[in-house]
Amino acid sequence: AATSQNLPSYNEIMLEHRSERIPRWSRDTSAEPRQSSLSRHEIEEAVLQLYKSIDELDILKALADDYQWDRMKNLLSPGRVDGVQASIDYSLDVLRASPQLFQDDARLSDLSEVVGFDWGSCAWRYCGAKADAQEALAELYSSTGMLEPFECRFVIDIVERSLRDILSVVPDEFRPSDAKLMPYVPYISQAAEVEEAEYIKASIL
């Protein structure tokens, strides 16, 4: 069983996040999306990737329920260019920059504010959905194997709500025509489930 001595501190998680979990910070900046070079197609691809990322979160939920920690670690690995974290980060960078490219499209004006900034880089500014998702993914990656499945689901729920918040302000014309988003099912804690079950039982009796 894990003890408190084995748990990483907040500063240790932040250090790993900065040095490993955002590999684009240490890569050539030419790999980052530039506002002047963004195209409508790239924005559409970024939106599509968010739909795919939500599907990947469902996979993570199933893996957590089945205690498949190694497979979860692999999907969450910051070293994977096609991993959950890298895909979300790049997509959100594109969407945050998109209002600057399409300044005449007022419908995109909310994207920058909703996406916000990188985790740990907000300072006095409103952080936004991106920081929430990054912090939750960092915690999940660092604590996989120490958290119980229901705790993993709580953390994954934070990421999912962040991505859904962003998709809610994306204009329909930038969404893939065949993309479907399943209805959001909010996370319910074990205590709440027990309380609800007891209430139903008492109502029947």
Side-chain angles (χ1 to χ4, degrees), residues 146-159:
M146 292 184 285
L147 298 175
E148 288 294 325
F150 74 92
E151 294 173 310
C152 291
R153 277 184 166 268
F154 174 80
V155 178
I156 294 171
D157 185 71
I158 296 173
V159 183

Side-chain angles (χ1 to χ4, degrees), residues 18-37:
R18 286 181 175 277
S19 59
E20 297 181 17
R21 302 229 170 83
I22 305 187
R24 61 184 175 74
W25 285 4
S26 58
R27 293 201 305 263
D28 182 354
T29 55
S30 62
E32 299 180 21
R34 297 177 183 273
Q35 294 178 357
S36 59
S37 63

Side-chain angles (χ1 to χ4, degrees), residues 132-184:
D132 290 342
Q134 287 178 332
E135 182 176 6
L137 287 170
E139 179 181 352
L140 186 63
Y141 180 80
S142 297
S143 303
T144 293
M146 292 184 285
L147 298 175
E148 288 294 325
F150 74 92
E151 294 173 310
C152 291
R153 277 184 166 268
F154 174 80
V155 178
I156 294 171
D157 185 71
I158 296 173
V159 183
E160 181 177 351
R161 283 188 284 114
S162 298
L163 300 188
R164 285 177 178 269
D165 285 348
I166 294 167
L167 286 174
S168 70
V169 297
V170 173
D172 289 341
E173 68 181 83
F174 291 97
R175 301 171 186 266
S177 58
D178 58 345
K180 294 183 180 180
L181 197 60
M182 298 297 292
Y184 172 63

